[in-house]
Amino acid sequence: MIGRCSYYYRASFSCATRLNFSTCSLTKSVCIHDEDCGDFLPWLRRKSGTDISSFLSIGNSSTYGRYLFASKCIYTGDSILKVPCSVDSEWAPYISRLPRLGELNSTIFWSNDDLEMIEKSSIYEETIRHNIQIEEDFLALKPALQHFPSFFQEVTLKEFRHAYGLVSSRAWTSMKGVSMIPFADFLNHDGISEADVLCDETKQLSEVIADRDYAPGDQVMIRYGKFSNRTLLLDFGFTLADNVYEQVQIKLDIPHHDPLRSMKMDLLCQHSTPVLEDDNAFSSCGNSFMIKQVKLGSRKGRGIPQALRAFARVICSTSSQELSDLAIEAAKTDGRLARQPLQDKDKELQAHQFLLSRINQLIENHDVAMESLAVPSSPCMSNKHSLRRKLARDLLNGELVVLKSAGAWLKNYCDSL
């Protein structure tokens, strides 16, 4: 079994491109020692030849799984964890402490019924693409696995997806590649923390420096990244009720019946809107944009990408002369297309009303989805499905906040023209 798990990890490493750790976020709680992990730190100390941490202990919760808490006072600037790079993830005492099959809640493990709850969010399509990629990877590897039946036994897609989820949520990328970091991946996420896992190539170790003081019994946390709930849910299987890094993906298309469609597409290509890469490293074409929350009273609408507003101006152009004028204007400036308000206020109003209508449609869709999730849980509903309903509500509610802020700004902008 150890060789089997280890192979899954090596096979999946290419899919993990950043620091991804545990699968839920916790605030301070009553910390209960994990008796099953009593031998884990002594084993890790023997394996690494050094003390990993004298500050941290392992706790366990039936609701949230394993986490780390302070076993004594920690002060800002203390080095609370050091894991030598020589420590590999192939040993049973580490693997046996990772979440088991069925215990992960990232959306790649959701059923079709579960996924319907988040169909109005872009994470729905991302999850489908992610699962297609996982299945393709599995089918590519399967012939190699079948060459060693006595060693790998019968590897199923379900088991491969589980291994993929473990690695993609817990792998750290350094200059020397991707690796698992035992013990460090018990640290849970705090969106406002400034602590991170640092990789010191000179010392050949990974280290965590405390960003605040902790009293004995406090849970010690780090920040995985400045991630939206969409990323947290897809990669880690949890959400934050009030995520300051929330964002929403919006996609615009030039209608196929538009007589100027070909000319508009050529123009956009020549003055290419940058190909986007979101939190999950999904590349999207130039008609996808990330909206962040727009602060009340914002004059420039920061949070609504200028490239999105430019795209709307191009879409709403109705003559080849207008498109030529946009191309000439871009050539005279920095090459970026339609980044300034149109001189024709009626056209500028039309472009932003188009955006507002698209935002309002997304708001309406999210409102309907939220209403369906507000129905009380059925007594026969499983705990897992109930948890995923809560995750779906957090996701959609956070996106609603962003969409409504963008809609309010666009309405004010239109009213001012």
Side-chain angles (χ1 to χ4, degrees):
M1 183 61 183
I2 300 308
R4 182 170 164 182
C5 287
S6 179
Y7 186 89
Y8 288 171
Y9 299 153
R10 292 195 299 272
S12 303
F13 275 170
S14 61
C15 305
T17 58
R18 61 183 174 277
L19 169 62
N20 292 330
F21 285 144
S22 75
T23 55
C24 81
S25 178
L26 289 172
T27 57
K28 289 185 179 181
S29 59
V30 177
C31 296
I32 302 175
H33 279 276
D34 189 341
E35 300 298 335
D36 290 338
C37 286
D39 63 340
F40 179 73
L41 272 178
W43 165 82
L44 188 55
R45 189 179 301 114
R46 291 194 304 271
K47 205 70 182 173
S48 64
T50 186
D51 189 24
I52 300 299
S53 177
S54 60
F55 289 100
L56 302 174
S57 295
I58 303 172
N60 203 346
S61 163
S62 60
T63 303
Y64 300 111
R66 291 190 171 92
Y67 55 90
L68 299 183
F69 65 92
S71 55
K72 61 182 181 182
C73 290
I74 297 174
Y75 300 102
T76 304
D78 283 343
S79 176
I80 57 177
L81 177 151
K82 292 183 179 180
V83 183
C85 296
S86 58
V87 178
D88 203 312
S89 63
E90 65 184 11
W91 302 296
Y94 171 55
I95 292 175
S96 64
R97 269 70 179 191
L98 296 173
R100 297 177 183 176
L101 197 64
E103 293 181 347
L104 297 174
N105 280 300
S106 57
T107 54
I108 62 172
F109 300 101
W110 287 26
S111 67
N112 290 334
D113 288 341
D114 292 334
L115 287 174
E116 285 181 2
M117 297 187 293
I118 55 174
E119 187 176 5
K120 301 306 179 181
S121 170
S122 62
I123 192 178
Y124 177 80
E125 292 184 358
E126 288 177 14
T127 300
I128 292 175
R129 292 200 301 268
H130 213 140
N131 274 326
I132 290 173
Q133 185 61 56
I134 291 171
E135 186 167 358
E136 289 178 354
D137 290 345
F138 172 68
L139 293 175
L141 284 167
K142 193 172 181 180
L145 300 177
Q146 291 174 337
H147 277 290
F148 307 94
S150 60
F151 184 69
F152 291 109
Q153 304 173 31
E154 182 62 32
V155 180
T156 66
L157 176 60
K158 187 176 183 179
E159 291 171 322
F160 181 82
R161 181 177 284 109
H162 174 237
Y164 182 103
L166 288 174
V167 174
S168 63
S169 67
R170 286 165 170 76
W172 166 256
T173 301
S174 68
M175 294 177 63
K176 293 189 175 181
V178 180
S179 61
M180 308 284 276
I181 308 177
F183 193 58
D185 56 10
F186 292 154
L187 287 162
N188 281 313
H189 172 74
D190 178 4
I192 62 174
S193 174
E194 294 297 329
D196 198 351
V197 173
L198 306 174
C199 184
D200 192 317
E201 301 293 341
T202 303
K203 297 179 182 179
Q204 286 291 289
L205 56 78
S206 298
E207 184 175 20
V208 175
I209 304 297
D211 69 324
R212 68 189 75 171
D213 297 346
Y214 292 95
D218 290 348
Q219 183 181 181
V220 178
M221 307 174 82
I222 63 172
R223 184 176 67 195
Y224 299 170
K226 297 180 179 180
F227 296 143
S228 65
N229 274 341
R230 185 189 61 174
T231 296
L232 295 177
L233 187 53
L234 177 61
D235 286 356
F236 307 101
F238 70 90
T239 55
L240 300 177
D242 186 17
N243 191 342
V244 296
Y245 301 112
E246 192 59 275
Q247 58 184 6
V248 180
Q249 184 181 49
I250 181 172
K251 185 175 181 179
L252 299 182
D253 291 307
I254 302 174
H256 285 275
H257 58 75
D258 187 338
L260 297 174
R261 186 172 191 271
S262 178
M263 186 176 180
K264 290 177 180 179
M265 291 182 68
D266 288 343
L267 183 63
L268 288 165
C269 182
Q270 291 169 13
H271 300 270
S272 58
T273 301
V275 173
L276 300 178
E277 189 171 277
D278 64 19
D279 296 338
N280 298 297
F282 278 116
S283 292
S284 56
C285 57
N287 62 340
S288 292
F289 307 88
M290 292 296 179
I291 297 178
K292 297 180 180 179
Q293 186 170 356
V294 184
K295 292 183 178 179
L296 186 65
S298 171
R299 294 181 59 188
K300 295 184 178 180
R302 185 176 180 181
I304 302 176
Q306 285 292 332
L308 172 61
R309 299 170 67 185
F311 201 98
R313 290 169 180 137
V314 173
I315 285 181
C316 292
S317 297
T318 54
S319 71
S320 58
Q321 184 61 51
E322 289 177 27
L323 297 175
S324 295
D325 289 343
L326 290 176
I328 292 172
E329 179 187 356
K332 289 181 178 179
T333 55
D334 59 2
R336 296 187 299 175
L337 193 66
R339 294 304 179 98
Q340 298 298 321
L342 299 173
Q343 293 183 356
D344 186 333
K345 286 192 174 182
D346 288 338
K347 288 290 184 180
E348 179 74 354
L349 177 62
Q350 182 184 357
H352 285 78
Q353 285 178 333
F354 168 77
L355 273 185
L356 180 58
S357 67
R358 175 66 177 140
I359 295 290
N360 284 338
Q361 183 61 58
L362 291 173
I363 291 173
E364 182 179 340
N365 292 342
H366 277 60
D367 277 333
V368 171
M370 286 291 288
E371 287 178 9
S372 68
L373 292 174
V375 177
S377 301
S378 168
C380 62
M381 187 179 294
S382 68
N383 290 335
K384 180 177 292 187
H385 188 67
S386 295
L387 171 61
R388 291 176 179 177
R389 279 171 62 93
K390 177 187 179 302
L391 297 175
R393 286 196 300 270
D394 285 347
L395 172 77
L396 295 173
N397 186 62
E399 292 189 347
L400 263 174
V401 170
V402 173
L403 290 169
K404 288 181 177 179
S405 73
W409 188 90
L410 286 168
K411 184 178 185 305
N412 287 338
Y413 183 77
C414 291
D415 290 344
S416 70
L417 292 174

